[in-house]
């Protein structure tokens, strides 16, 4: 089964895809859109879902360190509903706490410049979210 992983932000959405066995996540792209334009993001994500023939969606779910939900969580839930209404696939919410922090540490240790880190953080975060989900299923 092929999964697609998403890391949704206010202006970008990182996208990753799994292999056919649902074992390994690979970075795909970063979808860019005007701030809070979830409709544009949805259109781009649906195109990628169809192109990559994904069967399930893993959506990063931001939970505060103390376990509470904030405004970004509500934003992600709104996008989840839009996805479910637009495409007949299961959307799985997956805790993304510290994903971006971990990705930045990895990129800094790889000695990537600040500009390269900025352009890759969303896609790599989506990859980490998806890989963590896939690993948790085994």
């Amino acid at each position: 089964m092929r999964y697609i992983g998403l890391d949704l932000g206010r202006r970008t959405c990182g996208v990753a895809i799994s292999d056919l066995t649902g074992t390994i996540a690979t970075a795909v792209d970063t979808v860019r859109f005007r701030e809070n334009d979830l409709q544009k993001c949805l259109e781009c994500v649906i195109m990628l879902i169809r192109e990559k023939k994904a069967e399930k969606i893993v959506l990063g779910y931001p939970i505060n360190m103390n376990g509470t939900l904030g405004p970004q969580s509500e934003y992600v839930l709104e996008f989840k509903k839009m996805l479910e209404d637009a495409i007949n696939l299961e959307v799985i919410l997956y805790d993304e706490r510290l994903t971006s922090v971990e990705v930045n540490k990895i990129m800094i240790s790889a000695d990537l410049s600040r500009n390269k880190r900025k352009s890759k953080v969303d896609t790599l975060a989506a990859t980490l979210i998806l890989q963590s989900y896939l690993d948790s299923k085994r």
Side-chain angles (χ1 to χ4, degrees), residues 3-118:
Y3 295 81
I4 195 162
L6 304 174
D7 179 40
L8 180 65
R10 294 289 175 172
R11 287 184 278 168
T12 59
C13 182
V15 182
I17 194 79
S18 77
D19 62 338
L20 287 171
T21 65
T23 305
I24 299 171
T26 305
V28 173
D29 199 4
T30 298
V31 173
R32 298 182 191 290
F33 50 94
R34 281 179 310 196
E35 189 165 351
N36 299 324
D37 187 356
L38 287 178
Q39 187 59 45
K40 176 67 174 172
C41 180
L42 179 68
E43 292 166 11
C44 295
V45 166
I46 287 174
M47 279 183 13
L48 286 168
I49 289 168
R50 290 184 175 141
E51 175 187 317
K52 302 294 184 183
K53 297 179 174 52
E55 299 170 72
K56 286 193 180 185
I57 303 162
V58 178
L59 178 59
Y61 191 47
I63 301 171
N64 295 325
M65 292 307 292
N66 65 2
T68 61
L69 302 177
Q72 189 64 19
S73 301
E74 293 171 21
Y75 183 72
V76 167
L77 289 174
E78 180 182 348
F79 189 68
K80 177 183 186 277
K81 174 144 179 37
M82 290 172 71
L83 268 171
E84 290 171 335
D85 289 346
I87 195 161
N88 190 26
L89 293 177
E90 181 180 5
V91 180
I92 301 156
L93 293 175
Y94 192 76
D95 184 353
E96 68 169 41
R97 274 182 274 197
L98 299 178
T99 304
S100 294
V101 172
E102 189 172 338
V103 166
N104 273 309
K105 283 181 186 177
I106 292 167
M107 290 190 296
I108 288 169
S109 70
D111 202 27
L112 287 176
S113 70
R114 185 174 300 236
N115 284 340
K116 283 193 178 184
R117 288 195 311 263
K118 187 177 179 185

